[in-house]
Amino acid sequence: MPHRKLNALMASLVFAISFIVYALTVAPTTPFWDCGEFIACSYILGIPHPPGAPLYVLLGRVFSLLPFGVDTSLDPAKIPGVLTDNIALRVNMISPIFSAFTAMLTYLIIVRLILLFWKREPESLAEKITLYAAGLVGALGFAFSDSQWFNSVEAEVYAGSMFFTAIVIWLILKWQDEAEAAKSDRYILLIFYLLGLAIGVHLLNLLALPTIAMIFFTQRYQSKARKEDVFGELLLMLAVAGVGGLTMYYGINTGVVQGLPWLMEKGGVMALALLLVALVVAVALAAANRQRVFGMAVMSVLLIIIGYSTYSAIFIRSTLDPAIDENNPDTPERLVSYLKREQYGEVHLTPRRAPFWEYQIKQMYVRYFNWQFIGKGTTYDVQGRIVEVFSPRGLWGIPFLVGLFGMFYHFYKDWRRALPIMTLFIMTGLAIVVYLNQDDPQPRERDYAYTGSFFAFALWIGIGVAALVDLARGLLQGKKAAPAGTAALAASGKHTGVAAVVAGLVITLVPGNMLFSILPGVDWLSNFREHNRKGDYVAFDYSYNILASCAQDAIIFTNGDNDTFPLWFLQYVHNIRKDVRVVNLSLLNTDWYIKQLRDDEPKVPIRMSDASIAAIRPIEWKTKTVSIPVPREAYERYYQETLKLDPNITYEEKPALRLEVKPTYEGLAIRVQDLMILKILEDNQFRRPVYFAVTVSPDNKIGLEPYMRMDGLAFRVLPIKLERGTVDPELMWTNLNEKFRYRNLNNPKVYFNDNVMSLLQNYRSAFLHLAQHHLQRGEREQVVKVLDRMGEIMPESVIPTSDFRINEAIGMMYAQAGRPEELTKRYRHFVENEYPRLEELRDRLSFADYLNYRGQRALAESLVQNMIKTAPGQREPYQWMTRFYNMTGERDKTITVLEQLLARFPDDQAARTQLQQMRGSSPDSARPVNAADSSHSSR
């Protein structure tokens, strides 16, 4: 079969494999973070957060209409008006399609780069095996890399952005085939049109411009003289890259993305129309006068604008006031603000907002790069971030070593094409780090933003396969002369065998291992399992449960993306609890959002004029008590209800919320969001129930904690000062046991990442609050009932507690309620599963001390006895056992351990003295020897 057909077949195979893997692991409903917002905006054609993604939203709207996917768990009989179509799954499927095409393009790019330094198509079977294996390894290695796989199975813009990056790189390489012909201009024009379209998905695609410029320069303007002056040509190429970068930032980002709305703001629609007419006329004149370069330049600008015109959807839809209308960009002025992301503030390159090398480079790039090609650690810090910058777990660095070898080989063989790839690698990696200037900590891991850099390195992984085959053939052939005749055929067969063996080995160890984790160090199918979203309904159910915690017509303050965007998705896509008004505290700092809360249904009571809202700013503040009067009728109603829960509450003659409000901004001022919470509480007058999501931090509650009652996944604000931990047991049990959804939290086959595991502890917290309420009142049967239900919904074997102390607290509650075996079971589970991870002997002995202190003496004794058996060369376990038996009054056992200690360590004079004392005393007169008598301590 000829090369072109084989190449197309292999490219199709890469697409098929990638798509099948992604389709098998795609999220079945909305995930956390921005996905809920993008799905909801796709369905209602809303306006997502700045700077928007209009092309993605339009595509999402098309996919939302496709007739597949039904959520059978949604019952219209129980939720009137609920939409049962699985819109989330439909929109999620955009990413697998985009990423499968990206994998295919990655294959084609690798093949093309190798052929460029081969300078011919493959002829022998060995060359074909080498070439196609190289493309397959690099493409699937990228497809199954950690971040690209993560981006490929959810409704996010990064899979689409990566597709546009890959296709423009492939097109510029395709252009090289016909560079001298006039018809090659079509590839350049198509590239600029796609750049314009890509802006409507994400601006990251513009970072490919310097690479495109370098490849264009290398092909079109390279002369023989420059080839002889390598250093001069290198400087020229770097200069071209710089011009490409400036074109990207000023020409497209500032000139087109922000410039067109600015032109519309200053001159109206007519100014924009005149610009387009002028460009069309310029193109026509260039064509008439055969001015190819000028015509190409003007046509490229025109095509970028045409592609960028998807942003007109932002302006048009905003004028129609959709339910999600972030920044309300319905005027040219507000559209400019939206595109500039002004609500997030301006970030400068200097000073650095966090340690540049230790945090911004190592933690926020090198660590992520290592996840893809070296391995991923398992240790987490208090922010839930993986600590290890370098870990060989799972991959053992094999993809990295192949790629590194491929990079050197590429520069050796064809540095003129290797340098543009290096530029892409840097521009989409380290350059982003420098530009973003991120502070520490970030609210989530940011690896998804650097997939362009990982894509560039994956090209070298593919080239590395060709390099390895070349190396193996060279080692096999040695310094022998080129064979001829029959010997040539034999050598050809050997070369085919070498190529097949190397290709098979690398396919197994790179994409094969990245897919199925076949190397030691991780569980079988670990990588597939960790990226498989099948059965993960946590974001949907968690958001549903937040809404279910709220009474009718409630107002709920939420903290960030994860307790806002999925709620919008439920309300605006599935029509679930649209009576509840979600108020995002971050957005509450903006005037446009305050106006929307005031004006859009369901309206939030805010008695402020437009001028007052526009004028509100953070104000200087010192800690003081703020009093918000409470209507007598509302107070007495809540007082009577709360009196049943706490008969000791005090009745107030002049009821009011008396809040100790502290500065919330750098210890000097109070934020707009805090002022607005006070304003909403004051204007609402308890006419509508007000809640705070459990994820809202104490700093954002402005002293309201004494007035909050936990009702599930939300705290309700009451006009009564409550005893800490007060709950309404009937309401809480109804919410937790009857209303809430907990799909697959007891299913060990479903994978939940650490962020989700952490979030799920809020369920456990709600159950424990209720159990503690019953325990304080001596209602032992209710305590067991609540704890048993919690264990049934989310067993600790599937959803572990975040801390052993929580696990222990659950066991102690059981013990106090009459089930002490539950506490012992938890200690034993820790000993069997977590205790072996304690590497330091001191930590192990300290845990034995803790078990002894908690009354688990037999378990503590068996642990230390096992230490003596497994590590007899350690002195401390003997000393621990001596103290232990001495404290329990077991004289004979104490003597036995001391004898064992002296047999192992005859120089221990303290132990010898203690043994002599004990042998010299009678059993009746033997006194316990204080631990301080020993010169050695385990602590």
Side-chain angles (χ1 to χ4, degrees), residues 705-748:
E705 289 94 335
Y707 296 92
M708 287 184 173
R709 182 188 72 201
M710 191 180 202
D711 285 359
L713 291 185
F715 291 100
R716 183 166 182 171
V717 178
L718 301 179
I720 311 296
K721 184 169 284 191
L722 304 172
E723 179 186 351
R724 183 178 178 84
T726 299
V727 300
D728 182 333
E730 293 184 7
L731 174 63
M732 189 78 140
W733 178 250
T734 298
N735 286 342
L736 293 176
N737 188 53
E738 298 177 16
K739 291 185 178 181
F740 281 17
R741 301 158 64 98
Y742 307 98
R743 284 178 288 181
N744 284 334
L745 299 188
N746 58 358
N747 186 350

Side-chain angles (χ1 to χ4, degrees), residues 564-578:
T564 301
F565 293 157
L567 271 66
W568 287 354
F569 161 77
L570 291 180
Q571 291 181 317
Y572 302 132
V573 174
H574 287 290
N575 300 319
I576 296 173
R577 293 302 306 271
K578 297 183 75 172

Side-chain angles (χ1 to χ4, degrees), residues 265-506:
E265 176 189 354
K266 299 301 180 183
V269 177
M270 184 59 67
L272 189 59
L274 288 174
L275 173 63
L276 293 175
V277 170
L279 288 172
V280 171
V281 170
V283 169
L285 290 173
N289 294 305
R290 298 186 180 278
Q291 295 179 331
R292 182 182 176 189
V293 175
F294 176 72
M296 281 280 294
V298 178
M299 179 62 81
S300 297
V301 173
L302 181 61
L303 286 171
I304 286 178
I305 293 173
I306 292 172
Y308 173 66
S309 66
T310 57
Y311 262 92
S312 61
I314 294 285
F315 183 78
I316 293 168
R317 284 298 299 167
S318 184
T319 60
L320 299 174
D321 297 324
I324 302 175
D325 188 12
E326 296 208 42
N327 284 63
N328 192 28
D330 57 359
T331 66
E333 180 183 7
R334 285 198 287 265
L335 182 58
V336 172
S337 173
Y338 178 80
L339 294 171
K340 288 183 176 181
R341 298 164 51 97
E342 288 182 355
Q343 78 173 44
Y344 300 123
E346 189 174 358
V347 178
H348 300 280
L349 296 181
T350 56
R352 306 310 293 178
R353 299 198 294 172
F356 178 65
W357 176 253
E358 286 298 322
Y359 179 73
Q360 294 184 337
I361 298 295
K362 287 176 61 177
Q363 291 291 323
M364 298 304 289
Y365 179 75
V366 174
R367 184 169 58 107
Y368 297 147
F369 176 86
N370 292 345
W371 289 3
Q372 322 304 315
F373 308 118
I374 293 179
K376 193 172 184 179
T378 57
T379 308
Y380 292 84
D381 63 12
V382 293
Q383 276 88 30
R385 302 175 299 188
I386 292 177
V387 173
E388 296 96 337
V389 173
F390 174 87
S391 170
R393 174 185 172 268
L395 302 180
W396 293 95
I398 294 173
F400 170 72
L401 293 175
V402 175
L404 190 66
F405 189 36
M407 180 188 73
F408 285 116
Y409 186 78
H410 196 198
F411 272 95
Y412 171 72
K413 287 287 188 178
D414 186 7
W415 71 267
R416 292 177 179 84
R417 272 86 181 188
L419 188 60
I421 303 303
M422 176 63 80
T423 302
L424 180 67
F425 176 71
I426 293 172
M427 290 297 296
T428 54
L430 294 174
I432 295 178
V433 173
V434 174
Y435 177 75
L436 291 178
N437 192 10
Q438 293 170 328
D439 52 3
D440 181 14
Q442 289 289 297
R444 63 179 293 195
E445 299 285 17
R446 301 295 190 185
D447 56 294
Y448 54 83
Y450 304 107
T451 50
S453 184
F454 309 149
F455 159 78
F457 191 82
L459 302 180
W460 285 326
I461 291 178
I463 294 172
V465 176
L468 288 172
V469 173
D470 200 14
L471 176 65
R473 288 173 61 184
L475 292 174
L476 181 67
Q477 186 171 329
K479 298 182 179 180
K480 295 180 180 179
T486 306
L489 292 175
S492 176
K494 288 181 180 179
H495 292 162
T496 301
V498 168
V501 169
V502 172
L505 190 63
V506 181

Side-chain angles (χ1 to χ4, degrees), residues 634-843:
Y635 178 80
E636 291 182 350
R637 182 176 73 253
Y638 284 111
Y639 179 81
Q640 293 299 324
E641 293 176 2
T642 309
L643 194 62
K644 301 174 186 177
L645 306 176
D646 182 6
N648 299 318
I649 62 172
T650 304
Y651 184 85
E652 297 185 27
E653 292 297 331
K654 295 182 179 180
L657 298 180
R658 296 176 177 85
L659 313 176
E660 185 183 14
V661 181
K662 300 177 181 179
T664 55
Y665 182 72
E666 296 185 352
L668 300 173
I670 191 171
R671 300 163 298 190
V672 170
Q673 70 180 65
D674 307 311
L675 295 171
M676 289 308 304
I677 291 173
L678 296 172
K679 180 63 176 173
I680 290 170
L681 290 172
E682 181 181 5
D683 291 349
N684 182 54
Q685 293 288 289
F686 285 91
R687 285 188 288 269
R688 293 177 62 180
V690 175
Y691 293 83
F692 282 76
V694 294
T695 46
V696 174
S697 66
D699 292 342
N700 290 337
K701 293 175 182 174
I702 59 169
L704 280 164
E705 289 94 335
Y707 296 92
M708 287 184 173
R709 182 188 72 201
M710 191 180 202
D711 285 359
L713 291 185
F715 291 100
R716 183 166 182 171
V717 178
L718 301 179
I720 311 296
K721 184 169 284 191
L722 304 172
E723 179 186 351
R724 183 178 178 84
T726 299
V727 300
D728 182 333
E730 293 184 7
L731 174 63
M732 189 78 140
W733 178 250
T734 298
N735 286 342
L736 293 176
N737 188 53
E738 298 177 16
K739 291 185 178 181
F740 281 17
R741 301 158 64 98
Y742 307 98
R743 284 178 288 181
N744 284 334
L745 299 188
N746 58 358
N747 186 350
K749 295 181 180 179
V750 177
Y751 175 78
F752 302 110
N753 64 40
D754 290 276
N755 286 329
V756 170
M757 289 283 195
S758 177
L759 200 65
L760 289 174
Q761 302 308 319
N762 290 317
Y763 288 151
R764 195 162 271 137
S765 176
F767 276 102
L768 293 179
H769 267 79
L770 181 56
Q772 185 65 32
H773 172 88
H774 289 304
L775 192 63
Q776 289 174 347
R777 286 155 182 76
E779 299 164 348
R780 298 170 64 177
E781 291 184 2
Q782 293 299 321
V783 173
V784 172
K785 181 180 178 181
V786 171
L787 295 178
D788 280 352
R789 178 59 175 155
M790 178 180 71
E792 176 187 343
I793 288 166
M794 45 187 301
E796 294 158 36
S797 59
V798 178
I799 311 294
T801 57
S802 57
D803 191 306
F804 172 71
R805 288 170 294 183
I806 298 174
N807 191 289
E808 182 186 39
I810 296 170
M812 294 181 73
M813 282 187 177
Y814 267 118
Q816 293 175 59
R819 297 248 300 263
E821 66 275 9
E822 290 289 340
L823 178 58
T824 301
K825 181 177 75 174
R826 281 162 172 76
Y827 283 128
R828 291 194 178 278
H829 181 269
F830 184 88
V831 169
E832 292 171 2
N833 296 277
E834 302 299 326
Y835 171 78
R837 300 181 185 179
L838 299 176
E839 296 180 358
E840 296 292 333
L841 179 65
R842 179 180 59 185
D843 294 335

Side-chain angles (χ1 to χ4, degrees), residues 104-329:
M104 183 183 74
L105 290 165
T106 305
Y107 167 85
L108 293 172
I109 292 168
I110 292 169
V111 168
R112 183 61 190 152
L113 288 172
I114 293 174
L115 291 179
L116 282 171
F117 60 73
W118 277 7
K119 295 182 171 51
R120 58 179 174 78
E121 292 187 354
E123 298 173 353
S124 67
L125 180 58
E127 288 179 338
K128 289 180 179 180
I129 291 173
T130 302
L131 184 66
Y132 305 142
L136 189 145
V137 168
L140 293 184
F142 177 61
F144 303 146
S145 62
D146 187 74
S147 300
Q148 176 66 2
W149 196 343
F150 183 91
N151 290 343
S152 301
V153 291
E154 64 177 16
E156 254 287 10
V157 297
Y158 296 101
S161 177
M162 193 61 251
F163 163 78
F164 280 107
T165 298
I167 196 170
V168 296
I169 297 298
W170 178 73
L171 283 171
I172 194 62
L173 293 175
K174 189 74 175 172
W175 166 83
Q176 287 186 300
D177 294 338
E178 306 170 9
E180 302 308 317
K183 64 179 182 179
S184 67
D185 293 350
R186 59 187 176 177
Y187 292 109
I188 302 299
L189 296 176
L190 180 56
I191 285 171
F192 279 97
Y193 175 64
L194 290 173
L195 287 171
L197 284 178
I199 294 169
V201 176
H202 199 283
L203 290 172
L204 278 175
N205 180 253
L206 297 181
L207 295 172
L209 265 178
T211 297
I212 293 170
M214 293 174 79
I215 294 174
F216 184 86
F217 165 80
T218 300
Q219 182 67 31
R220 179 60 62 85
Y221 297 106
Q222 204 177 58
S223 69
K224 185 176 180 180
R226 290 197 190 102
K227 285 184 179 180
E228 294 170 356
D229 182 10
V230 174
F231 182 72
E233 185 179 357
L234 175 62
L235 291 179
L236 270 175
M237 289 183 70
L238 293 176
V240 167
V243 171
L246 293 174
T247 302
M248 169 196 71
Y249 189 79
Y250 293 104
I252 297 180
N253 184 43
T254 303
V256 176
V257 176
Q258 299 174 14
L260 292 181
W262 177 85
L263 180 64
M264 187 177 172
E265 176 189 354
K266 299 301 180 183
V269 177
M270 184 59 67
L272 189 59
L274 288 174
L275 173 63
L276 293 175
V277 170
L279 288 172
V280 171
V281 170
V283 169
L285 290 173
N289 294 305
R290 298 186 180 278
Q291 295 179 331
R292 182 182 176 189
V293 175
F294 176 72
M296 281 280 294
V298 178
M299 179 62 81
S300 297
V301 173
L302 181 61
L303 286 171
I304 286 178
I305 293 173
I306 292 172
Y308 173 66
S309 66
T310 57
Y311 262 92
S312 61
I314 294 285
F315 183 78
I316 293 168
R317 284 298 299 167
S318 184
T319 60
L320 299 174
D321 297 324
I324 302 175
D325 188 12
E326 296 208 42
N327 284 63
N328 192 28

Side-chain angles (χ1 to χ4, degrees), residues 615-645:
I616 192 169
R617 296 288 186 276
I619 60 174
E620 290 186 13
W621 192 268
K622 294 183 179 180
T623 300
K624 61 182 176 181
T625 299
V626 175
S627 182
I628 301 176
V630 177
R632 171 68 57 183
E633 180 182 354
Y635 178 80
E636 291 182 350
R637 182 176 73 253
Y638 284 111
Y639 179 81
Q640 293 299 324
E641 293 176 2
T642 309
L643 194 62
K644 301 174 186 177
L645 306 176

